[in-house]
Amino acid sequence: MLKFIKNWILPIAIITGALMHKWVIQLSFLTPYLLFIMLLLTFCKISFKDIRFHSAHIWLLLIQLIGSITLYYALLPFGAVIAQGAMLCVLMPTATAAAIVTGLLGGSVGFLTAYALFCNLAVAVAAPVYFSLTGLSEALSFTQSVWYMSQKIFPILVLPLLLALVLRYLTPKIHKAILAVPQLTFYLWIVALIIVMGNITVELLHPNSSDYGIVAGLIIISLFLCCIQFLVGRRIGKHYGDTISAGQGLGQKNTILAIWMAHNYLHPLTAIAPAGYILWQNIINSYQLYRKRKKDVVNSV
């Protein structure tokens, strides 16, 4: 039964969040706390002495940081919401579950784990600046806007890392107890996904948010950018001898974090882009895992 739930958890969470949106939206305040705990659990699993910076990390970071803001200004003539959605699809950091998928595909977990760490730190610095550049906070100056958003975003992305270090070296018993519950991150992800899907459903049902042309555009853009980032990441990885890890690092995103950012700092409809990305990246990952299992069966014969 548990295996069935895991295999179908994506559609189950989406449908649950959509159908129960009136109740689920009341839990929206929990999202940043869930994100914090999920990142804390992820960082607790990292052996920091094994973290190594790789040349490929530079290219992946440049694509995320420079590519996202460049894409925003390139698409701005088509509308601010479309531009913000595209920016978010590229800027959002690597998913906490990417290391697991990378390991299943036969990639380097160490490479991916290191990149996820560097990526989260980079986004913690870049996101407040980029979101301020969208001009949505008209009541604040650029500097005030950056400071305000930094106070909100930086703790969620960086404090879990610092706390993980404290737990590892100052309270090893608590750290060990956390590691003894490896599935906790998975269950927290389910809860967070249900909540954000409830928020998106409410936004789509809102009378002022019935522009389905924009919604369709965001879904199409998320599909295009998802495929492109997996392909570009794999191309960069191939050059450095690690196709799988680089592909997952650039392509598999922390969509829950992106949806939360969209609802808090961008136009709410922007959240449709990372919501669509959830579906596309899971389809790609499922296909990759299917090919890997098929290849292993052939090799074992």
Side-chain angles (χ1 to χ4, degrees):
M1 183 63 179
L2 183 60
K3 184 178 181 181
F4 173 82
I5 293 176
K6 285 187 175 182
N7 290 337
W8 292 93
I9 194 58
L10 177 63
I12 290 174
I14 291 174
I15 293 172
T16 301
L19 293 179
M20 301 182 65
H21 62 273
K22 292 182 179 180
W23 299 276
V24 169
I25 196 172
Q26 304 300 321
L27 302 175
S28 297
F29 70 95
L30 292 175
T31 304
Y33 300 103
L34 291 172
L35 287 168
F36 183 96
I37 297 173
M38 284 190 289
L39 285 173
L40 172 63
L41 295 174
T42 300
F43 290 142
C44 280
K45 298 174 184 176
I46 296 176
S47 177
F48 292 94
K49 64 180 181 180
D50 296 329
I51 295 294
R52 298 288 185 274
F53 193 81
H54 195 284
S55 300
H57 291 157
I58 298 176
W59 292 108
L60 298 178
L61 283 172
L62 286 175
I63 290 173
Q64 285 193 245
L65 299 179
I66 298 178
S68 57
I69 195 65
T70 301
L71 197 58
Y72 170 78
Y73 284 111
L75 294 178
L76 196 55
F78 299 95
V81 177
I82 295 293
Q84 290 166 14
M87 176 183 70
L88 206 53
C89 284
V90 179
L91 178 64
M92 53 183 159
T94 302
T96 56
I100 298 174
V101 178
T102 298
L104 293 174
L105 292 173
S108 171
V109 175
F111 175 99
L112 196 285
T113 302
Y115 181 69
L117 176 61
F118 300 140
C119 184
N120 274 277
L121 293 175
V123 171
V125 175
V129 177
Y130 288 5
F131 294 166
S132 298
L133 287 173
T134 62
L136 293 180
S137 303
E138 296 180 358
L140 301 175
S141 68
F142 174 74
T143 304
Q144 290 173 325
S145 181
V146 171
W147 174 245
Y148 170 77
M149 293 185 188
S150 296
Q151 290 178 303
K152 302 294 183 179
I153 296 174
F154 196 81
I156 289 180
L157 293 179
V158 178
L159 285 185
L161 171 62
L162 300 179
L163 183 55
L165 288 170
V166 170
L167 292 175
R168 177 179 289 272
Y169 296 109
L170 298 184
T171 57
K173 290 185 178 179
I174 296 177
H175 181 264
K176 186 177 181 180
I178 291 175
L179 295 181
V181 193
Q183 296 297 321
L184 183 56
T185 304
F186 173 74
Y187 296 118
L188 291 175
W189 178 81
I190 295 172
V191 175
L193 182 57
I194 291 173
I195 292 174
V196 297
M197 291 312 301
N199 282 320
I200 291 173
T201 302
V202 169
E203 188 61 35
L204 287 174
L205 295 176
H206 195 281
N208 297 325
S209 304
S210 57
D211 193 335
Y212 293 103
I214 293 179
V215 172
L218 289 169
I219 293 175
I220 293 172
I221 284 176
S222 68
L223 170 60
F224 175 77
L225 291 176
C226 183
C227 294
I228 286 296
Q229 288 184 97
F230 270 102
L231 290 173
V232 171
R234 290 178 67 86
R235 180 63 61 90
I236 292 173
K238 184 177 182 181
H239 180 75
Y240 289 96
D242 202 338
T243 303
I244 295 172
S245 306
Q248 296 304 124
L250 189 60
Q252 191 171 346
K253 304 287 191 176
N254 189 339
T255 48
I256 303 297
L257 175 64
I259 292 172
W260 174 77
M261 287 179 170
H263 274 290
N264 284 273
Y265 308 112
L266 301 173
H267 190 289
L269 267 184
T270 307
I272 300 299
Y277 204 103
I278 293 176
L279 176 62
W280 309 131
Q281 75 175 9
N282 276 279
I283 290 175
I284 291 174
N285 282 336
S286 297
Y287 176 68
Q288 290 183 123
L289 290 169
Y290 165 76
R291 288 191 61 185
K292 178 66 166 55
R293 287 193 297 268
K294 188 176 181 180
K295 183 179 178 180
D296 290 342
V297 171
V298 172
N299 292 337
S300 64
V301 174

